[in-house]
């Protein structure tokens, strides 16, 4: 795992807070999701900021954050990889259910999936089933990734 100085993470978190036009601003005290303690709003953006910085560091070296090979995770064993053409967005409803969409770069096809967060042994994972979907003709989203 890449270590990033806390001051850099804080600056990035503040920038993310402002870039999302959060009306509370980075220094407002907000309630944490778990525990109910008050923290500065920029801290709610801290993990996202760290992830952005790590991804940027890898991208600057033309590396992938977790190199896709059969050592990265058992679910990837035996696979060969081509170029990156899919984007995934996953949203939780706070009750263990997740909705997501897979966008194919340069095309109208989508996969919309829904499923719960489950535990298998000591591992938590989202077990989702996908449905094919397409961008409607005349829609402003023409699949241009």
């Amino acid at each position: 795992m890449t270590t990033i100085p806390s001051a850099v993470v804080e600056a990035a978190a503040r920038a993310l807070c402002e870039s999302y036009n959060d009306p509370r601003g980075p220094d407002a005290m907000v309630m944490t999701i778990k525990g109910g303690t008050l923290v500065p709003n920029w801290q709610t953006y801290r993990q996202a900021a760290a992830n952005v910085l790590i991804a940027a560091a890898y991208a600057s070296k033309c590396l992938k954050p977790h190199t896709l090979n059969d050592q990265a995770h058992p679910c990837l064993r035996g696979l060969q990889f081509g170029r990156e053409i899919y984007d995934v967005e996953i949203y939780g409803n706070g009750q263990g259910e997740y909705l997501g969409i897979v966008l194919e770069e340069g095309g109208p096809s989508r996969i919309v999936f829904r499923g719960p967060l489950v535990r298998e042994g000591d591992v938590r994972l989202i077990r989702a089933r996908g449905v094919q979907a397409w961008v409607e003709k005349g829609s402003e989203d023409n699949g241009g990734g």
Side-chain angles (χ1 to χ4, degrees), residues 26-92:
D27 293 312
M29 297 302 284
V30 297
M31 195 78 73
T32 56
I33 294 173
K34 294 183 180 178
T37 57
L38 286 173
V39 299
N41 194 29
W42 69 264
Q43 286 191 11
T44 65
Y45 289 83
R46 185 171 48 192
Q47 188 60 52
N51 290 339
V52 168
L53 290 167
I54 291 167
Y58 279 104
S60 71
K61 296 178 181 177
C62 297
L63 300 173
K64 296 177 183 174
H66 298 287
T67 302
L68 293 177
N69 59 39
D70 61 5
Q71 305 300 314
H73 191 278
C75 75
L76 302 179
R77 285 195 187 124
L79 298 179
Q80 295 183 349
F81 299 95
R83 65 188 183 88
E84 297 176 347
I85 61 169
Y86 298 105
D87 292 308
V88 180
E89 297 175 1
I90 301 171
Y91 301 93

Side-chain angles (χ1 to χ4, degrees), residues 82-106:
R83 65 188 183 88
E84 297 176 347
I85 61 169
Y86 298 105
D87 292 308
V88 180
E89 297 175 1
I90 301 171
Y91 301 93
N93 66 3
Q95 300 172 357
E97 291 285 326
Y98 290 84
L99 288 171
I101 185 167
V102 177
L103 311 173
E104 183 179 357
E105 184 178 292

Side-chain angles (χ1 to χ4, degrees), residues 77-143:
R77 285 195 187 124
L79 298 179
Q80 295 183 349
F81 299 95
R83 65 188 183 88
E84 297 176 347
I85 61 169
Y86 298 105
D87 292 308
V88 180
E89 297 175 1
I90 301 171
Y91 301 93
N93 66 3
Q95 300 172 357
E97 291 285 326
Y98 290 84
L99 288 171
I101 185 167
V102 177
L103 311 173
E104 183 179 357
E105 184 178 292
S109 63
R110 305 287 189 260
I111 299 172
V112 176
F113 57 89
R114 177 175 177 255
L117 180 68
V118 298
R119 182 177 292 276
E120 290 188 358
D122 292 336
V123 178
R124 291 190 307 171
L125 58 99
I126 297 171
R127 176 83 42 160
R129 185 97 171 134
V131 177
Q132 291 178 316
W134 296 269
V135 175
E136 293 181 39
K137 290 185 179 180
S139 171
E140 288 185 24
D141 178 7
N142 60 10

